[in-house]
Amino acid sequence: MEAIFQPPKRRPKVYEYFEAPLPVSFSNDPASELQIYKAEIIHHHVIVRESEHIQALYRKGYFGKGVLSKSRPQHSISERWEYVGDRCLPVIPMAKYEQHVRWARSALLAQGLDEEAVSQVLKELTHPIETDLQKELFEEQADFQEHHESVKCPMQSSDQDQTMEDVEAIKSDDGEGSGFSEAKRPRRQGDPHYDPLSELYSEEPEQVNPAKLTKIKCKRHDDWIIHCGCRIDASEISGGAVSDTQGCNLSVAHGYVLVEEPGDKDADEDVKRSTKGKLVCRINPFNMMEYLQLSYEEAFFLVYALGCLSVSRDGEALSILQLWRMFRSAQPNFEMTYTAYHYFRCKGWVPKAGVKYGTDFMLYRKGPPFYHASYSVVVERSDESFQGAALRPFTWRSLAALSRTTANVSKELMFSYVVVPLGMTEEDFSSPECLKRLKVQEIIVSRWISSRERTEQEEI
């Protein structure tokens, strides 16, 4: 008997459009080829390097997490960006730039260079850039006023007014003035055609016209807000931050940064309050790149179930059988956890790592941006009579603690039993063909509350 899935809890604010849950093409055109994404194994970690592949895998299926971010791969060197001519450069304080210099020094010394050579390299590398770009920067700084928070991109005022009107229209369409509070304002969730659970939970928030979001660009990723999924800052509405439109050429130079040097100590207090420090263009000596890290279950699902990922090691592409054996040797009971992962993915859920709550997976409907996790899943192994050694032996005390922890974060505890037929040996698990013989059974564990039980009996 299947467990009864309860309606998940929606997030109060959703600024992202829900696309197809899997990174595959649903086009009926036979000439269209399936996009193959690339990953590589580095120190037993599955890493995706190319930015286009990172955005596609996360945006269309929420696979993996950013190595420098909490979840979505959106790490940025700075939250503040300013235009110098037609370039948009990050602004970092002097202390952070000096930290990057120390990191670069440590990296060069680790390569075997002597101290004198490293100092000479860093001296040339961190010298201020004296180019036309720097001259343009000084000209822009001369025109600053007190109320300017950033240098605006040159564009026609009519285009800017139209963009602001579009943002206001989005606010009004989202439920402003319609009786919804800020926390309960409906947000778009995308096309229910791609959601296998839409028949069970058909009620969706009000849709927003996608054409209105296509005119607002993200200052971090140089992509439309509708694609990258970042939130629309209030500063964009007021015009205080860098906001790009269709008529603005945004070119992000990752190799250069604007270092905010402290002002003159002998300056008057009024001058100090009116200036933000001198901005000097320099080369970034230590550039940290954002990569996407996939779990073993996610990587094998993309390779085995979808066929849209190619995983290589030392420059050589690995076959499905090689990946299966490699993941089994690196992660105990991989065949059990992957079976549960494959099962929930096929049912329309998005499983993410549940180590934060002491479980194997957390189940999200559609994805983390739209709903809170509904279930904390513990994967167990059993035979057809629900007997056998447990993968994670529980005592009554540890089970009660896990159940209480799960209830405190408004989730339900689920045990997912992978049923292994009698007669299967360890040799049968050496190939992914064993997945065809395995079954999954869910059991939801609820905490018994005596006071609630007495109240229900009195009502009867």
Side-chain angles (χ1 to χ4, degrees):
M1 183 177 179
E2 267 189 326
I4 300 176
F5 292 147
Q6 300 297 329
K9 183 180 179 182
R10 294 191 183 96
R11 293 192 180 274
K13 295 183 180 180
V14 177
Y15 293 91
E16 186 167 347
Y17 182 77
F18 179 72
E19 297 188 56
L22 305 175
V24 296
S25 175
F26 289 92
S27 176
N28 295 326
D29 185 9
S32 61
E33 297 181 359
L34 177 65
Q35 174 70 39
I36 302 297
Y37 306 105
K38 296 181 180 180
E40 53 185 316
I41 297 179
I42 303 177
H43 301 298
H44 302 286
H45 299 288
V46 184
I47 301 296
V48 181
R49 292 176 178 264
E50 298 186 22
S51 59
E52 294 182 358
H53 297 183
I54 290 175
Q55 295 299 328
L57 289 174
Y58 190 88
R59 185 172 66 244
K60 292 187 178 181
Y62 302 101
F63 293 95
K65 68 172 296 294
V67 295
L68 300 177
S69 304
K70 183 178 179 181
S71 179
R72 174 182 296 277
Q74 60 181 7
H75 170 75
S76 178
I77 186 175
S78 175
E79 296 293 333
R80 179 183 166 196
W81 294 70
E82 297 197 2
Y83 278 95
V84 181
D86 62 345
R87 296 190 180 189
C88 188
L89 302 180
V91 180
I92 63 175
M94 190 64 182
K96 186 174 183 179
Y97 185 78
E98 292 175 350
Q99 186 181 39
H100 286 201
V101 174
R102 291 193 296 268
W103 289 343
R105 179 183 295 275
S106 301
L108 292 175
L109 291 175
Q111 296 177 7
L113 298 178
D114 57 4
E115 186 71 27
E116 183 178 356
V118 171
S119 299
Q120 183 64 26
V121 170
L122 292 179
K123 182 179 179 180
E124 298 177 357
L125 193 63
T126 58
H127 193 273
I129 304 298
E130 297 292 343
T131 60
D132 295 338
L133 179 65
Q134 185 71 2
K135 294 179 182 179
E136 294 176 3
L137 173 62
F138 291 149
E139 293 175 359
E140 294 288 346
Q141 286 181 338
D143 297 334
F144 271 1
Q145 298 179 4
E146 291 185 14
H147 65 279
H148 283 174
E149 294 295 332
S150 63
V151 181
K152 295 182 181 180
C153 178
M155 59 182 176
Q156 297 180 359
S157 59
S158 61
D159 294 339
Q160 184 178 9
D161 296 340
Q162 183 63 33
T163 303
M164 295 303 106
E165 291 176 2
D166 292 338
V167 176
E168 294 297 334
I170 293 173
K171 292 177 62 179
S172 62
D173 287 349
D174 284 344
E176 188 174 359
S178 59
F180 290 99
S181 63
E182 180 66 23
K184 297 181 180 180
R185 182 178 299 173
R187 302 286 179 177
R188 70 177 302 152
Q189 297 283 317
D191 190 350
H193 171 71
Y194 300 117
D195 184 11
L197 301 175
S198 60
E199 295 182 358
L200 296 176
Y201 314 111
S202 57
E203 182 182 356
E204 290 290 343
E206 181 181 346
Q207 300 287 310
V208 177
N209 186 3
K212 296 176 181 178
L213 290 175
T214 58
K215 296 183 179 181
I216 304 175
K217 258 199 171 182
C218 175
K219 62 183 180 181
R220 292 184 181 179
H221 307 107
D222 189 20
D223 198 0
W224 303 112
I225 288 288
I226 191 175
H227 291 156
C228 75
C230 290
R231 295 182 176 225
I232 303 175
D233 297 333
S235 57
E236 280 189 293
I237 300 176
S238 61
V242 176
S243 177
D244 195 38
T245 59
Q246 296 178 355
C248 180
N249 178 21
L250 178 64
S251 60
V252 179
H254 295 284
Y256 297 94
V257 293
L258 296 178
V259 182
E260 186 176 7
E261 298 182 351
D264 189 3
K265 296 182 180 180
D266 298 332
D268 297 335
E269 290 297 326
D270 295 338
V271 178
K272 287 183 180 180
R273 286 194 296 267
S274 63
T275 59
K276 298 175 62 177
K278 181 181 179 182
L279 297 181
V280 180
C281 183
R282 299 176 186 268
I283 298 177
N284 185 15
F286 194 89
N287 192 13
M288 295 181 292
M289 302 299 295
E290 176 78 291
Y291 299 136
L292 184 72
Q293 181 177 349
L294 300 173
S295 67
Y296 288 165
E297 291 83 6
E298 291 171 328
F300 194 78
F301 182 82
L302 291 169
V303 174
Y304 174 75
L306 301 183
C308 63
L309 182 69
S310 175
V311 181
S312 60
R313 184 175 186 179
D314 298 330
E316 181 182 356
L318 301 177
S319 64
I320 294 178
L321 184 59
Q322 289 175 321
L323 278 177
W324 175 264
R325 293 176 177 175
M326 182 181 300
F327 291 164
R328 285 196 69 218
S329 62
Q331 178 175 311
N333 304 310
F334 168 75
E335 61 275 8
M336 300 293 115
T337 56
Y338 175 75
T339 302
Y341 181 91
H342 190 117
Y343 173 80
F344 289 116
R345 269 285 182 181
C346 293
K347 278 186 167 289
W349 295 93
V350 178
K352 304 296 289 186
V355 64
K356 181 167 61 176
Y357 299 106
T359 57
D360 295 301
F361 297 116
M362 307 296 294
L363 295 187
Y364 294 85
R365 183 192 175 192
K366 291 188 175 180
F370 305 102
Y371 291 91
H372 293 279
S374 300
Y375 301 96
S376 297
V377 181
V378 176
V379 179
E380 286 290 353
R381 174 177 177 170
S382 67
D383 54 23
E384 294 177 337
S385 60
F386 284 91
Q387 300 293 329
L391 301 180
R392 184 185 301 178
F394 279 101
T395 63
W396 285 112
R397 176 174 295 182
S398 62
L399 180 60
L402 181 59
S403 177
R404 187 65 176 263
T405 301
T406 304
N408 287 344
V409 292
S410 301
K411 296 168 181 40
E412 293 187 84
L413 180 60
M414 177 188 296
F415 276 76
S416 178
Y417 286 92
V418 179
V419 181
V420 180
L422 297 175
M424 286 193 68
T425 61
E426 184 64 24
E427 184 178 356
D428 296 328
F429 288 103
S430 61
S431 170
E433 291 294 323
C434 66
L435 298 174
K436 300 178 181 179
R437 303 175 57 185
L438 302 179
K439 299 180 181 179
V440 178
Q441 176 68 55
E442 314 101 316
I443 295 178
I444 294 179
V445 180
S446 300
R447 187 166 64 94
W448 183 74
I449 303 176
S450 58
S451 59
R452 184 182 301 173
E453 182 74 13
R454 287 194 297 268
T455 303
E456 293 178 354
Q457 290 181 355
E458 291 176 358
E459 292 177 354
I460 293 177

